[in-house]
Amino acid sequence: MNVGIAQGERNPNSSWLNSRGVWLTYIILVFVLHFILLSIPYITTSVAWTLTTTIHNLCNYYLFHVVKGAPWETSDQGRARRFTFWEQIDDGIQWTGTRKFLQIVPVVLFFIASFYTKYDKTHFLINLATMLLAVVPKFPIFFGVRLLDINRY
Amino acid sequence: MFLDKLMSPKTAVNQNLDIVMSNYQTNKPGDDNNRTSDHRNREEFEETPTWAAVVTVLGYAILSALGWLRDFLRHIVVFTRSKQISYECFYTRNLYTRIRDVFNQPIASVAGAKVHVMERVSDDYNWTFKFSGKKIPSINLGSYNYLGFAENQGPCSEQAIKSIETYAVTTCSTRHELGHQRYVKELESLMAEYLNVEDCIAFGMGFATNALNIPTLAGKGDLILSDKLNHVSLILGARLSGATIRTFNHNDMKDLEAHLRKAIISGQPRTCRPWKKILIIVEGVYSMEGSLCKLPEIIELKKKYKAYLYVDEAHSIGAIGSRGRGVVDYWKVDPNDIEIHMGTFTKSFGSAGGYIAGKKNIIDYIRVSSHSACYSSSMSAPIVQQIISALSIIMGRDGTNDGQKRIQQLACNVRYFRRQLVDMGFIVYGNNNSPVVPVMLFMPAKIAAVNREMLKRDCAVVTVGFPATLLTESRVRFCISAGHTKEMLDHALKAMDEVGHLVSLRYSKKNPHHRWVELDHADYDKEYTS
C-alpha cells in the first residue's frame, strides 16, 4: 500500500478523528466559513448565521451519512465498504468522545443561530430542519439503517 | 469483528467498566521503576504543539477539498488521463501521487553506508517516471544496516560466495524432505549459543516467521495481548491463529496489568471459561517510534499472572546491548524468563530470514508442526553463510575484536547523532540508545520537502506519513549504522540543520533551538572518542 505501514490498523477512517488537533480545526473551519460569509456585503448577520448552519449541516450530512467506504485501500478486506463514515468511526462503538462531540456541534450552532436571528420564524424553521438532518442520523438506533433502501449498496 | 459490532454495537458503558477495573492495580511504587527510569535509558515523546496539529489537519483538509473538486471535474469533464474513479483510490489519486517521487526510490549499488540513488524525472506530475540516467551518491540513512554488514567486500561476502561453490544456491526442497543441510544446523546451534538459550530454529523469511509461527503457538481459546504499535507481521500472525486479541497502550504497564486482571477475572467471552493460555507479544525496538520495551516490568507482570511472553527482536538483535545480544542483554534479564525469543537476520546481520529461540521442547514442537517449517523451502547457502560469518565476527570467534568495535561504533554514532539533533531543537522520539531516530515533521507537505531537500544535499532518508503513522505524526526516520563515519554523520547533521531551517522543523518547546554553527562541537567530539 504505502511506505512502511508499521501499524495494523485496518481502517484509518476509524481513528483519525481522534487525533490531536482535529476537533479544534473543525471548529476553526466552521468559523472561517462564517467569516467568509460575513464579508459578503449584502448578507445580514442573521442570514449569515443561517447560511453557516445550513452549509455546515448539509456538508455534515453528505460526508458522514451519504458517502460510503473509505478513501484508502484498507486492509480490512472491504468490510467497511457498505458503511458510511459515521458508522466506521471507532469501529462502531457508540457514545465515544468523538461521536458525542460531532453530535453536539450542530446543536450548538443551532442555538447560536437562533440567538443571532432573534428567533425569527422562517430562520427557525430552516435551522431546525437542517439541524435534524445532521443530528438524527447520528442516533445509535439508526446504526446501519438504510431507509427505503436508499444508499444501500 | 466489524460485523459482530453491527449486530450489537458495544456501548461506552462497557468501556467505563474497563476504566473501573484499571483502578485496581497493585504496582508498588519504586519497584522496578529504578531500572526503567534510569537516566541513560530515557525515552522522550514530546507532545505535538497544538498549532502544529491544527495546521497539519488544515493541510490535509485543504488537500482533501481540492481532491473532491478535482474528482468532480474529472467526472463532468473528460481529461486526457481519465482513470476509473473509485472512492478507495481517493487518497492514492489526490494525495499520494503528488509526492510519489519520494517513495520507492530505486537504488543502484550496495545499500551500505553510502548508496547510489537513481534519479527520476516526471513530466506528468508523478504519474509516470523516466530515469534521467544520473546516479546520486548519497549517505544512506534509511537502511537497517545497524552493524554495517551490508557490504560486498570483506570476509563475510567472500565466505558466502565460497559456500555457493560447495553447496550451490538452493536445495530445491523443504526442511522436512531433502532440504535439511548442515549449514542450517550450524546456524541454529550458533544462534542458540549467541542468545544463551537451549535451542533455535531458523526460517527463510522474517515476516513469515511471525505470521506463520504465532498460529502454531496460539489458537482458539487463547488470549493474545499485543502492544498497539506492533508490526503487521505480528498482527497477521495473531489474526491467523484464531485466538482472542486485546491490545494495550504502547509500553503502558498499568494498561497491560489492567487487561491481564480483567481477562483472568472474566475469562473467555460468552462462556466465561478460563483461558487456555495468555501470550503477551511485544517488540524489542519499535521501528516507527524508536522506543524500547520495558522488559523487566513485563517479566514481573508475566510471572505474577502466569502468562507467556513473546519478544520480537527484529530491530534490536545485534544493535542494542553492550555485547549486541539484544534487549535481553540491554536490560540484563535472564533469557529463560522469556518463553519465545524471535528475531530477524535482515537488519543487523546483513542477510535475510528469521529465527525463533527458546526451550528445546518448544522449538521441537515448532519444528514438527509449524507451517513455515513444513512447507517453505529451506534457506539458501550463501545467505546462511553470511549470517554465520557475521555472527562469528560479532561473537569474536574469528580472532579479531572487529565485532565489539562495530557494536561500540554504533553506540557512539547513535549517542552523537541523537544528542546533536535534540540540542538543535528538533523533536526526536524514542530511547536515547535506539539506533532508530524518528524526527517529527507533522505537515504533509514537509514529508516531500524534507526528502527532496536532503537528497539534494546527498543524504538518502526515509520519510513516512499518514496512514502509516498517526494523522498528525509524520516523521523522517534515520537509521544509524556502524558503517557511518564521523564525517558522514557531520555531513548529515549539517544537511538536517539547513533543511530544518528552510522548512522550519524546530518544534521543540523543551529544548532551545540552535543552528549547527552555534553548537559547541568540542564537547561532542570529546564524548564521541570516549
Side-chain angles (χ1 to χ4, degrees):
Chain A
M1 201 182 106
N2 287 321
V3 176
I5 180 162
Q7 289 182 10
E9 197 172 55
R10 291 193 239 198
N11 187 358
N13 246 356
S14 60
S15 66
W16 73 264
L17 280 170
N18 296 330
S19 306
R20 193 179 153 79
V22 174
W23 294 7
L24 187 57
T25 313
Y26 184 57
I27 296 175
I28 287 176
L29 278 174
V30 171
F31 278 99
V32 162
L33 169 68
H34 181 66
F35 288 137
I36 292 174
L37 286 172
L38 271 182
S39 26
I40 301 174
Y42 290 106
I43 297 185
T44 59
T45 316
S46 43
V47 172
W49 271 111
T50 308
L51 267 180
T52 311
T53 41
T54 317
I55 293 175
H56 166 262
N57 290 337
L58 286 176
C59 290
N60 203 330
Y61 176 72
Y62 181 73
L63 284 174
F64 281 105
H65 302 288
V66 173
V67 172
K68 293 198 300 290
W72 292 278
E73 279 139 20
T74 54
S75 53
D76 67 348
Q77 291 163 357
R79 274 200 191 111
R81 173 66 186 84
R82 300 254 174 278
F83 290 113
T84 61
F85 186 22
W86 178 253
E87 288 154 3
Q88 288 170 32
I89 295 176
D90 291 326
D91 289 325
I93 300 177
Q94 298 297 324
W95 301 118
T96 60
T98 312
R99 284 179 187 255
K100 284 191 260 193
F101 171 76
L102 289 169
Q103 281 168 323
I104 286 175
V105 167
V107 178
V108 168
L109 277 180
F110 173 70
F111 287 152
I112 298 177
S114 306
F115 172 74
Y116 276 105
T117 60
K118 301 193 178 24
Y119 307 102
D120 178 56
K121 224 182 273 180
T122 348
H123 284 278
F124 168 76
L125 283 173
I126 299 174
N127 286 334
L128 182 69
T130 51
M131 186 202 85
L132 287 177
L133 183 68
V135 168
V136 166
K138 296 186 166 61
F139 292 159
I141 199 174
F142 282 107
F143 185 89
V145 169
R146 305 273 184 265
L147 293 172
L148 303 174
D149 268 0
I150 302 171
N151 206 17
R152 186 141 178 224
Y153 294 117
Chain B
M1 294 295 150
F2 201 83
L3 286 175
D4 297 341
K5 293 197 174 92
L6 173 58
M7 297 301 148
S8 59
K10 180 176 173 215
T11 64
V13 171
N14 292 350
Q15 287 180 307
N16 284 335
L17 272 179
D18 299 347
I19 299 172
V20 166
M21 294 300 281
S22 69
N23 287 334
Y24 288 93
Q25 11 124 350
T26 53
N27 252 349
K28 293 185 280 292
D31 211 353
D32 247 316
N33 293 342
N34 295 330
R35 282 163 99 179
T36 51
S37 59
D38 194 6
H39 162 72
R40 284 167 297 127
N41 178 50
R42 241 165 22 120
E43 282 198 359
E44 287 276 324
F45 297 98
E46 192 175 325
E47 217 183 274
T48 314
T50 318
W51 66 266
V54 169
V55 173
T56 311
V57 181
L58 271 178
Y60 279 111
I62 293 174
L63 283 169
S64 308
L66 281 175
W68 280 99
L69 178 67
R70 289 167 78 197
D71 278 353
F72 177 66
L73 289 175
R74 279 193 189 107
H75 193 68
I76 62 174
V77 176
V78 176
F79 278 3
T80 51
R81 191 180 40 245
S82 63
K83 304 204 183 305
Q84 166 126 48
I85 302 174
S86 80
Y87 192 47
E88 273 87 22
C89 312
F90 180 90
Y91 180 81
T92 317
R93 219 179 18 249
N94 294 310
L95 277 83
Y96 181 71
T97 311
R98 284 174 188 263
I99 54 173
R100 203 159 77 101
D101 60 314
V102 308
F103 304 124
N104 300 334
Q105 287 173 333
I107 59 174
S109 75
V110 171
K114 287 201 172 198
V115 71
H116 289 255
V117 178
M118 297 188 71
E119 200 189 24
R120 303 186 282 184
V121 291
S122 174
D123 300 321
D124 49 2
Y125 305 106
N126 289 346
W127 284 97
T128 56
F129 290 111
K130 274 195 284 281
F131 290 120
S132 73
K134 197 172 127 194
K135 299 192 182 143
I136 310 174
S138 39
I139 300 175
N140 187 356
L141 290 164
S143 290
Y144 307 131
N145 181 16
Y146 299 133
L147 289 177
F149 279 114
E151 42 197 23
N152 55 356
Q153 283 146 359
C156 290
S157 43
E158 280 166 25
Q159 287 169 16
I161 294 173
K162 250 200 334 204
S163 75
I164 300 183
E165 292 163 19
T166 327
Y167 292 112
V169 174
T170 172
T171 59
C172 295
S173 177
T174 68
R175 295 271 302 258
H176 283 206
E177 295 166 8
L178 282 177
H180 187 73
Q181 273 282 11
R182 71 176 100 163
Y183 51 74
V184 180
K185 204 148 168 243
E186 191 189 331
L187 168 66
E188 290 175 355
S189 53
L190 199 57
M191 202 66 201
E193 209 186 313
Y194 181 71
L195 295 170
N196 203 4
V197 289
E198 282 180 27
D199 200 4
C200 169
I201 174 174
F203 301 98
M205 189 176 156
F207 187 101
T209 309
N210 273 330
L212 297 177
N213 285 311
I214 298 182
T216 318
L217 298 166
K220 204 157 175 307
D222 296 339
L223 173 68
I224 293 184
L225 286 167
S226 94
D227 195 295
K228 262 214 170 83
L229 297 179
N230 267 345
H231 191 254
V232 178
S233 55
L234 293 164
I235 296 177
L236 182 61
R239 284 188 199 151
L240 279 174
S241 68
T244 313
I245 310 173
R246 308 251 163 93
T247 55
F248 60 94
N249 293 332
H250 178 59
N251 261 353
D252 189 351
M253 296 301 115
K254 294 198 178 71
D255 199 27
L256 175 59
E257 180 161 16
H259 271 99
L260 275 167
R261 290 183 78 93
K262 180 162 169 277
I264 295 176
I265 291 172
S266 32
Q268 297 186 29
R270 278 195 315 114
T271 55
C272 294
R273 284 191 215 151
W275 298 100
K276 285 205 239 149
K277 59 176 167 293
I278 300 182
L279 185 63
I280 305 175
I281 303 185
V282 289
E283 285 190 42
V285 167
Y286 291 89
S287 62
M288 272 300 158
E289 309 283 314
S291 53
L292 263 67
C293 68
K294 297 184 183 152
L295 209 47
E297 297 179 19
I298 297 181
I299 290 183
E300 195 199 309
L301 275 179
K302 171 200 96 106
K303 284 186 182 159
K304 183 173 169 189
Y305 294 102
K306 299 200 182 60
Y308 298 123
L309 183 57
Y310 181 113
V311 178
D312 177 348
E313 294 202 56
H315 285 268
S316 54
I317 191 75
I320 302 275
S322 53
R323 291 184 312 152
R325 315 274 159 130
V327 276
V328 171
D329 183 28
Y330 180 81
W331 289 113
K332 311 260 186 302
V333 296
D334 183 12
N336 291 325
D337 280 339
I338 301 172
E339 272 74 36
I340 317 268
H341 305 246
M342 180 267 168
T344 59
F345 300 120
T346 328
K347 279 89 183 181
S348 301
F349 302 106
S351 184
Y355 69 85
I356 290 196
K359 293 232 155 41
K360 192 162 187 315
N361 49 4
I362 301 181
I363 303 297
D364 283 344
Y365 176 71
I366 293 181
R367 273 188 219 281
V368 168
S369 54
S370 158
H371 284 258
S372 186
C374 276
Y375 295 108
S376 55
S377 65
S378 58
M379 291 171 84
S380 159
I383 297 199
V384 175
Q385 189 58 46
Q386 157 81 19
I387 308 170
I388 294 178
S389 318
L391 264 178
S392 317
I393 293 180
I394 296 176
M395 288 163 83
R397 296 272 169 94
D398 63 335
T400 68
N401 67 342
D402 190 29
Q404 201 59 29
K405 267 205 302 207
R406 280 178 194 252
I407 297 172
Q408 276 163 1
Q409 174 78 8
L410 176 65
C412 269
N413 282 353
V414 167
R415 260 201 323 258
Y416 184 72
F417 199 73
R418 267 183 178 269
R419 245 191 93 193
Q420 297 210 27
L421 276 182
V422 170
D423 288 341
M424 281 203 264
F426 296 108
I427 293 188
V428 179
Y429 272 14
N431 196 300
N432 279 344
N433 298 315
S434 89
V436 174
V437 185
V439 173
M440 288 292 127
L441 303 175
F442 301 125
M443 286 117 204
K446 295 193 184 180
I447 301 173
V450 165
N451 202 309
R452 290 173 193 155
E453 291 297 318
M454 289 295 273
L455 196 56
K456 275 192 211 152
R457 291 167 177 77
D458 296 335
C459 295
V461 298
V462 170
T463 47
V464 280
F466 188 67
T469 61
L470 294 178
L471 180 71
T472 46
E473 285 184 11
S474 6
R475 59 199 73 179
V476 53
R477 184 186 65 180
F478 297 106
C479 293
I480 308 296
S481 157
H484 288 139
T485 60
K486 189 163 168 302
E487 290 75 33
M488 287 188 211
L489 290 182
D490 284 338
H491 183 96
L493 283 165
K494 255 191 285 216
M496 194 62 197
D497 167 63
E498 280 171 26
V499 171
H501 182 70
L502 198 62
V503 174
S504 73
L505 295 176
R506 288 178 161 84
Y507 293 108
S508 176
K509 289 197 183 129
K510 288 190 193 160
N511 306 316
H513 303 170
H514 292 127
R515 296 300 305 267
W516 161 264
V517 292
E518 296 166 4
L519 296 173
D520 178 18
H521 293 288
D523 189 30
Y524 299 118
D525 295 346
K526 205 160 51 94
E527 200 195 340
Y528 187 84
T529 50
S530 67

